[in-house]
């Protein structure tokens, strides 16, 4: 299994995932990143905060995928 790290990016705040989590495939890591992004969007919505959220997924070699969302007030 491969260890993937999920780094959270929000405005100037970056939270680096030092521990990571093992997944059997990149597809499983993508699913987890999408779930985590949905939870972050929910938190932004409840807080009434606009902005962009991104989760950069990396393995021990480097970045492998990114998921992001923009929350805009109109």
């Amino acid at each position: 299994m491969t260890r993937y790290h999920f780094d959270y990016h929000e405005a100037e705040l970056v939270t680096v995932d030092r521990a990571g989590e093992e997944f059997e495939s990149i597809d499983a890591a993508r699913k987890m990143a999408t779930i985590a992004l949905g939870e972050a969007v929910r938190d932004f919505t409840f807080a009434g905060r606009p902005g962009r959220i991104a989760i950069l997924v990396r393995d021990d070699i480097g970045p492998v995928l990114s998921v992001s969302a923009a929350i805009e007030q109109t």
Side-chain angles (χ1 to χ4, degrees):
M1 283 205 276
T2 303
R3 182 168 295 276
Y4 294 96
H5 303 268
F6 298 78
D7 299 336
Y8 177 86
H9 296 252
E10 170 199 334
E12 289 88 36
L13 175 67
V14 176
T15 304
V16 177
D17 176 10
R18 299 195 193 288
E21 189 173 340
E22 290 186 345
F23 290 94
E24 292 197 19
S25 67
I26 187 68
D27 290 331
R30 181 187 338 270
K31 183 183 281 187
M32 181 55 69
T34 303
I35 290 168
L37 180 65
E39 292 172 356
V41 167
R42 182 191 64 219
D43 293 345
F44 261 58
T45 301
F46 287 149
R49 295 170 46 203
R52 185 171 185 278
I53 306 166
I55 298 175
L56 176 66
V57 182
R58 58 187 169 80
D59 61 14
D60 292 333
I61 297 170
V64 293
L65 70 96
S66 175
V67 296
S68 63
I71 297 90
E72 299 175 353
Q73 291 178 302
T74 57

